[in-house]
Amino acid sequence: MIGGFSTRDGTLDFYLRIRSLATSDMTVLDLGAGRAAWFEDGRQDFVSSLRKMKGYVRSLIAADVDPVVMNNRACDSAVLIEEGHIPLQPDAVDLIICDFVLEHVDDPKSFIDEVERVLKPGGWFCARTPHKYCYVALLSRLLPNRFESAMLSRAQPGRKSEDVFPKRYKMNRLKNIAVLFPGWDNESFIYRSEPSYHCGRQYMYNIMDFIHRIMPAFFSGTLMIFVQKPYPRQRCDDLCES
């Protein structure tokens, strides 16, 4: 299609919303950034340029449990997460991006505690992740991990085995997000995206696209999570008075 994206491009929707929240004076954390496969192996088109936050914000920090993050070229700096700890000071970042990471989190409470610690009051946590009951998630839970890489290599030609990780799906419903972020401004929703797994064949894309359109949103959709950390009570009172 014109511009290289469809009317239901989830990456376009997700990063347009992030761009609407981000400003040039912000420090942004890309949490679970890995090696930035989208930057190294993906197409360099309009959507990719929208996704590239380096140079758009004051500082982009990449963080991951995998040491490969230290080779991430799409960031200004990189840090390694060890024993669940993000090596940043409290209230260090203005916005957090977490793109297709939540499905891998084994301990949601500890993960969210670290998110809350490093994010400034008023800052946004922005995440994209498959819904727990999306057909992709259901198939992933049925297949042993050793078979998942082989299946994905067929369904998503070009995806490398080092970019496939074990799935947990412990925080992949809107209800989970509401429980994990109590008191936060929650603007999360289910996005009915276009098919990602179609073996690179147009007829398969058309079949999967038809299924996406007629099935319930949660069965084919992606969770788009946008939650804003509240200000301390005294700060809230000051803002209301002003």
Side-chain angles (χ1 to χ4, degrees):
M1 298 185 70
I2 299 298
F5 52 87
S6 76
T7 57
R8 291 184 292 120
D9 189 310
T11 300
L12 178 66
D13 187 279
F14 184 57
Y15 283 96
L16 275 175
R17 295 178 191 277
I18 289 172
R19 288 280 185 133
S20 75
L21 297 172
T23 57
S24 60
D25 61 343
M26 283 186 173
T27 297
V28 174
L29 175 64
D30 188 351
L31 184 55
R35 68 184 184 92
W38 63 271
F39 179 79
E40 298 293 345
D41 306 332
R43 296 184 335 186
Q44 300 304 309
D45 55 11
F46 171 74
V47 177
S48 295
S49 67
L50 189 70
R51 185 171 183 171
K52 186 179 178 183
M53 301 296 289
K54 180 181 178 180
Y56 182 77
V57 296
R58 180 176 59 189
S59 177
L60 178 67
I61 305 169
D64 206 297
V65 297
D66 190 335
V68 73
V69 73
M70 305 309 294
N71 299 322
N72 188 311
R73 298 192 302 149
C75 65
D76 293 299
S77 60
V79 296
L80 184 63
I81 301 172
E82 297 183 287
E83 297 183 354
H85 177 73
I86 304 171
L88 296 175
Q89 294 297 315
D91 301 342
V93 301
D94 301 280
L95 185 146
I96 297 176
I97 302 170
C98 198
D99 199 3
F100 288 120
V101 173
L102 299 190
E103 64 270 25
H104 306 290
V105 174
D106 193 49
D107 186 350
K109 179 62 168 60
S110 297
F111 179 86
I112 298 304
D113 285 347
E114 277 297 277
V115 165
E116 184 169 13
R117 184 183 68 82
V118 302
L119 185 61
K120 293 179 181 179
W124 285 88
F125 175 75
C126 310
R128 179 170 59 149
T129 187
H131 192 280
K132 182 176 182 178
Y133 299 123
C134 172
Y135 67 90
V136 174
L138 293 173
L139 286 173
S140 177
R141 292 199 293 276
L142 289 173
L143 284 174
N145 286 331
R146 64 181 181 276
F147 294 136
E148 186 177 6
S149 180
M151 183 191 75
L152 288 177
S153 68
R154 291 178 177 273
Q156 283 189 317
R159 184 166 180 175
K160 296 183 177 180
S161 59
E162 62 262 38
D163 299 320
V164 180
F165 306 96
K167 310 293 196 305
R168 303 294 183 232
Y169 298 107
K170 292 187 176 182
M171 49 195 305
N172 288 70
R173 295 183 298 164
L174 289 175
K175 181 179 180 180
N176 298 141
I177 301 305
V179 170
L180 288 166
F181 293 94
W184 292 46
D185 181 15
N186 188 347
E187 301 292 339
S188 306
F189 60 95
I190 300 175
Y191 182 83
R192 195 188 293 269
S193 58
E194 66 178 344
S196 297
Y197 302 90
H198 46 78
C199 304
R201 299 181 181 278
Q202 186 62 45
Y203 77 91
M204 282 295 295
Y205 175 91
N206 293 339
I207 292 171
M208 297 308 298
D209 187 53
F210 176 74
I211 293 173
H212 276 221
R213 291 175 185 273
I214 65 172
M215 297 301 292
F218 68 81
F219 185 73
S220 61
T222 301
L223 280 187
M224 297 287 198
I225 299 162
F226 294 91
V227 289
Q228 185 180 29
K229 182 178 175 179
Y231 290 98
R233 173 57 61 182
Q234 184 59 48
R235 173 60 173 159
C236 288
D237 292 342
D238 292 343
L239 287 174
C240 291
E241 290 177 2
S242 63

